[in-house]
């Protein structure tokens, strides 16, 4: 049976598509957006978060780590040598203080469906369903396709949240089992896009056009980040204008993910980004609406 | 077409209601200053620190007992307490505290049961139900139709007709009613004095109207909405004075006939109606219900009055206890409006759910049509207005104590096992339940001659007609509650043992026993290991399986009738806010809980249960609570504390509506809801005095956050943060 690697199952999601949804977060992403609030999604393998404030000093992780990756730094803090850590998870398995948390779990379709079906009554009562996000769920296309197919068999509404930077044939594989695409557009200018995310946007825009031609249901999501892509709204609206798009959501940047960078000991490129004001978002929405685009603040 | 428009208040009524809000804050601040923190429901009493009362006792130990003595003392008490009229209110009177602050009322020593008390002491049963009072639902319409004088005539009529040898039952009721009339008359005179002195024309008019209204009500039933609200205010004050209580009824239906008549006669506006109801809420925080199905199930009872009640609640913004009865066809606009108010105000109504409450009640052998009448009139509980003696909310069976005793038993065994532990746990649980039932039998035997329901007898169908207290045949339906508490503490403990000792063999039984004996001292690692399993609330967990098993056993054994008098029992699961009080009596438990730490609340999962791939979600918690409903109509609430930022959107409100309906379909009974922002909550916890009007639903009851002790505030904070 096909397996996938995920890192979170978030039930009762109300901002990832219609109704009450379960959002499944896939591990692994081919973008590196500067503002990403899910840094645990970057790497597809298992990782260990460390929260030193919870540490009770039992030493079990030190004892069990095969690569001796745990150490105490000069300030007396418990740290992990990320060069040595292979993410085996043995340390997290003996840590009960929530200091070490293994992020990323391999799961098969049957187990994932069992989790998804827990909230079936809520999907039915609210017109909700399941959203596959991440990371980039479409990088695990075979697994994603199987889960989507099973969801449709159970008459569950499906949505895929994607950055779109994958081969078109991946979209083709899931078109008939995906009710809704939540499609991220982060910048219109290719160079700026590459600077902010690590990839250019040519494939992303091409895929979007093809999705539109295929009459897929699409909601565009624009993360609004002050000082990084706030000058891209006009250009993005030009891309969207000729396409068949249900709605555009402008998502204000938030800082909720900052602690995760620290826990994973990943460099946070932009820890001090400004939270956009309501006025800024309203301005962005206004620009989109001026092109007859159905836009809202999310 | 039902008018669901929000009532827009003119400056006069907006100011009056705002003033009532401000007055309530001041009164509450004074109470905190004089009395310290108040962890129970907010009550509407006005504190008078100089009031003194000397009762006339009739027992050598200083008790006042029996209907006649209580009635006589109550009459005198009502004649001595201060008169109270708030100039911003449409109504007169207040209450000043429960009578037991001044009068020693309770079960006299000769009627106590020493053997029973010994078992209670051993098993730390501090709320056995024996001697408990004022937890039944009145039919206030009895009083509204007759008026206070009509009730007095009724008492005298039946005393005359029955001509009992011992007239004390009726004598006591007569004394109470005379005292009530005299108290109301004093308020009428007081209002006249205020009117005479008052120079402001609007205030003068208000005092004059209050005077005339109260004068009328001394001798007559109410004629209009304001008089009906005034009658209910009288009732609330007297009812609370006698053992607190707080049950009212289906408020929208109670007031609707008066509202419709007044509107048709052109003597009432909607904003006046809002003011009257707001004044009633200021008078006291009695529990009432709006909406719900008619008894025949054919339609929803929502009316214009239901919306007016909601608007009054919103405008005055103080602790208020209204439940909205949800069913599939509940008025959509009413439900949405109630949630909008919860989002804007932080809290609002709670949601009483028809499937669990009504269809569950029918499983006891009652017609479901009768179940539909069972209104939510307590912090957690429902009762049939005027016809049921349910002894709700006064009995708690602390299941973790049975577990602790079971652990002591298996320590002595050569080879402890989880099967042995279960056997001993169920043994001790049976001992506790048998003890409580013995107490219920004893209560039935003695309560009526000690502390009859002298106030609520007047508002029940049967007691006055029969000359019998509600507890001993005054009403036809005695369905006595027993609430189990601490379900998650027990389930998580069993699950931790199964996982860590049996399945994973990470620790031994002796390791666990040593850790418990030492209160986990120097064994934080083991404690956290036991704590951080997939706890109850996690889907398909071992703990969920144990929770269902414990619940099933509890319900099956608890519902057996009492041994001596075969009184019917309906089990529930509700801890009120007493998780700290019971925690202090409960030694360390295998779920990683320290000695003295709070136990789990009702049948809610403990905060922080979500682990691994699963993050916390309201639906996870709701599903867990639904799966562990006792299922016989008595409530086991779902406590939800949601983030304001998440809910203050169209999606948020829609999601809550779906959650409420889904929880109902799953057999849930009650949802208590807070909608808070983290910043405000943390700031208010740090310095409650800076947020004097922050209102929260603690469990089933509503209170000012600033009134709560630090540990009760922590309860709300912990729940919110774990979400």
């Amino acid at each position: 049976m096909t397996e996938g690697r995920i890192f979170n199952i978030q039930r009762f999601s109300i901002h990832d598509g219609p109704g009450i949804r379960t959002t499944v977060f896939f591990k692994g992403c081919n973008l590196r957006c500067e503002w990403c609030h899910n840094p645990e999604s970057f790497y597809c393998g298992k990782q260990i978060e460390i929260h030193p404030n919870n540490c009770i000093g039992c030493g079990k992780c030190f004892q069990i780590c095969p690569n001796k990756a745990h150490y105490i730094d000069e300030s007396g803090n418990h740290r992990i040598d990320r060069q040595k850590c292979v993410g085996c998870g043995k340390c997290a398995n003996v840590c009960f203080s929530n200091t070490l948390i293994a992020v990323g779990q391999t799961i098969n379709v049957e187990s994932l469906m069992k989790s998804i079906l827990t909230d079936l009554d809520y999907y039915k009562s609210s017109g909700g369903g399941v959203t596959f996000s991440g990371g980039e769920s479409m990088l695990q296309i075979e697994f994603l396709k199987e889960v989507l197919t099973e969801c449709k068999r159970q008459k569950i509404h499906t949505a895929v949240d994607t950055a779109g930077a994958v081969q078109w044939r991946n979209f083709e594989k899931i078109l008939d089992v995906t009710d809704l695409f939540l499609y991220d557009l982060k910048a219109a200018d290719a160079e700026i896009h590459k600077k902010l995310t690590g990839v250019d946007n040519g494939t992303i825009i091409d895929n979007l056009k093809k999705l539109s031609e295929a009459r897929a249901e699409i909601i565009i999501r624009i993360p609004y980040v002050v000082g990084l892509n706030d000058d891209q709204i006009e250009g993005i609206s030009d891309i969207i204008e000729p396409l068949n798009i249900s709605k555009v959501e402008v998502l204000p940047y938030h800082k909720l993910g900052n602690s995760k960078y620290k826990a994973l000991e990943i460099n946070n490129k932009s820890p001090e980004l400004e939270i956009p004001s309501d006025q800024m978002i309203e301005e962005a929405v206004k620009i989109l609406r001026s092109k007859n685009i159905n836009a809202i603040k999310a | 077409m039902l008018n669901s428009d929000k009532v827009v208040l003119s400056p006069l009524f907006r100011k009056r209601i705002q003033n009532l809000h401000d007055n309530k804050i001041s009164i509450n601040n004074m109470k905190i200053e004089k009395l310290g923190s108040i962890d129970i429901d907010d009550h509407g009493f006005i504190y008078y620190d100089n009031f003194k009362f000397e009762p006339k006792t009739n027992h050598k130990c200083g008790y006042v007992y029996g209907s006649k003595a209580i009635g006589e003392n109550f009459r005198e008490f009502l004649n001595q307490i201060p008169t109270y009229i708030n100039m911003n209110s449409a109504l007169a009177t207040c209450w000043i505290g429960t009578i037991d602050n001044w009068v020693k009322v309770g079960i006299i020593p000769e009627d106590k049961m020493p053997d029973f008390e010994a078992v209670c002491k051993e098993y730390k049963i501090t709320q056995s139900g024996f001697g408990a009072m004022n937890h039944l639902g009145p039919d206030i319409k009895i009083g509204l139709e007759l008026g206070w004088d009509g009730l007095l005539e009724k008492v005298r009529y039946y005393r005359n007709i029955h001509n009992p040898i011992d007239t004390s039952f009726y004598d006591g009721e007569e004394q109470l009613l005379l005292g009530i009339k005299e108290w109301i008359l004093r308020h009428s005179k007081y209002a006249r004095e205020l009117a005479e002195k008052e120079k402001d024309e609007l205030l003068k008019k208000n005092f004059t109207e209050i005077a005339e209204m109260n004068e009328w009500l001394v001798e007559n039933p109410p004629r209009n909405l304001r008089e009906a609200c005034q009658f209910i205010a009288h009732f609330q004050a007297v009812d609370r004075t006698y053992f607190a209580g707080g049950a009212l009824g289906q408020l929208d239906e109670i007031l609707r006939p008066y509202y419709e008549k007044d509107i048709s006669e052109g003597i009432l506006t909607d904003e006046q109606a809002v003011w009257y109801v707001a004044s009633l809420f200021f008078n006291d925080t009695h529990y009432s219900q709006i909406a719900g199905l008619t008894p025949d199930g054919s339609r929803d009872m929502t009316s214009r009055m239901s919306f007016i009640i909601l608007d009054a609640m919103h405008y005055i913004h103080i602790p208020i206890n209204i439940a909205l009865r949800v069913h599939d066809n509940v008025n959509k606009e009413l439900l949405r409006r109630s949630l909008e108010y919860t989002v804007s105000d932080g809290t609002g109504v709670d949601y009483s759910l028809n499937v669990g409450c009504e269809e569950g009640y029918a499983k006891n052998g009652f017609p479901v049509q009768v179940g539909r009448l069972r209104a939510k009139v307590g912090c957690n509980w429902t009762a049939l207005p005027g016809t049921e003696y349910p002894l709700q909310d006064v009995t708690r069976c602390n299941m973790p104590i049975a577990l602790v005793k079971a652990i002591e038993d298996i320590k002595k065994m050569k080879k402890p096992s989880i099967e042995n532990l279960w056997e001993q746990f169920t043994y001790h649980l049976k001992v506790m339940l048998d003890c409580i039932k013995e107490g219920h039998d004893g209560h039935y035997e003695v309560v009526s001659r000690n502390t009859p329901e002298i106030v609520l007898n007047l508002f029940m169908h049967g007691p006055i007609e029969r000359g019998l207290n509600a507890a001993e045949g005054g009403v036809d339906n005695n369905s006595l509650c027993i609430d189990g508490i601490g379900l998650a503490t027990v389930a998580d403990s069993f699950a931790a043992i199964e996982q860590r000792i049996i399945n994973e063999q990470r620790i031994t039984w002796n390791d666990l026993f040593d850790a418990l004996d030492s209160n986990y001292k120097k064994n934080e690692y083991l404690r956290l290991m036991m704590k951080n399993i997939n706890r109850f609330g996690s889907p398909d967990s071992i703990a969920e399986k144990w929770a269902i098993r414990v619940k099933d056993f509890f319900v099956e054994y608890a519902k057996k009738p009492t041994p001596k008098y075969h009184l019917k029992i309906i089990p529930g699961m509700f801890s009120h806010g007493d998780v700290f009080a019971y925690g202090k009596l409960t030694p360390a438990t295998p779920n990683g809980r320290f000695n003295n730490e709070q136990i789990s609340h009702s049948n809610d999962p403990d905060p922080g249960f979500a682990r691994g791939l699963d993050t916390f979600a309201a639906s996870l918690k709701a599903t867990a609570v639904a799966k562990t409903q006792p299922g016989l109509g008595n409530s086991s609430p779902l406590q939800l504390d949601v983030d304001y930022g998440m809910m203050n959107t169209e999606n948020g409100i829609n999601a809550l509506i779906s959650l409420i309906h889904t929880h109902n379909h799953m057999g849930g009974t009650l949802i208590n809801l807070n909608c808070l922002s983290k910043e405000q909550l943390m700031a208010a916890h740090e310095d409650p005095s800076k947020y004097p009007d922050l209102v929260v639903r603690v469990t089933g009851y509503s209170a000012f956050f600033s009134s709560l002790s630090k540990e009760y505030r922590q309860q709300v904070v912990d729940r919110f943060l774990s979400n």
Side-chain angles (χ1 to χ4, degrees), chain A residues 6-12 14-15 17 20 56 58 60 93-98 105 107 114-115 118-119 121-122 125-126, chain B residues 500 506 524-525 528-529 532 539-540 611 613-620 622-623 646-647 649 651-652 655 658-659 662 666:
Chain A
I6 64 173
F7 66 90
N8 186 209
I9 299 174
Q10 175 64 60
R11 293 176 181 79
F12 209 77
I14 59 172
H15 300 302
I20 296 173
I56 60 170
C58 66
K60 306 274 188 204
N93 197 34
V94 295
C95 179
F96 301 108
S97 63
N98 295 324
Q105 189 173 310
I107 192 167
K114 201 171 172 194
S115 286
T118 308
D119 273 15
D121 287 342
Y122 293 95
S125 72
S126 67
Chain B
R500 300 301 190 200
R506 286 189 197 245
E524 180 67 357
Y525 184 74
L528 291 173
M529 182 199 299
N532 290 320
D540 291 321
R611 294 184 63 74
L613 284 176
D614 300 302
T615 36
F616 175 83
S619 52
L620 272 183
T623 301
M646 188 176 158
M647 289 299 147
T649 60
N651 282 358
S658 292
L659 182 138
T662 306
M666 287 181 172

Side-chain angles (χ1 to χ4, degrees), chain B residues 66 85 123 164 207 218 273 298 302 379 428 469 485 509 542 550 685 698:
Chain B
I85 297 173
Y123 282 84
F207 288 137
V218 174
S298 64
T302 301
C379 54
H428 288 291
N469 185 37
I485 65 172
W509 283 104
I542 301 173
V550 171
H685 188 39
V698 181

Side-chain angles (χ1 to χ4, degrees), chain B residues 332-356:
Chain B
K332 289 185 170 52
E333 192 52 45
L334 188 77
L335 182 57
R336 180 169 290 276
R337 180 80 48 81
S338 73
L339 286 164
E340 286 168 359
Y341 284 157
T342 293
V343 172
S344 69
D345 301 340
T347 194
V349 306
D350 53 12
Y351 298 93
S352 178
L353 309 176
N354 84 309
V355 171

Side-chain angles (χ1 to χ4, degrees), chain B residues 29 89 148:
Chain B
N29 286 343
S89 175
W148 296 110

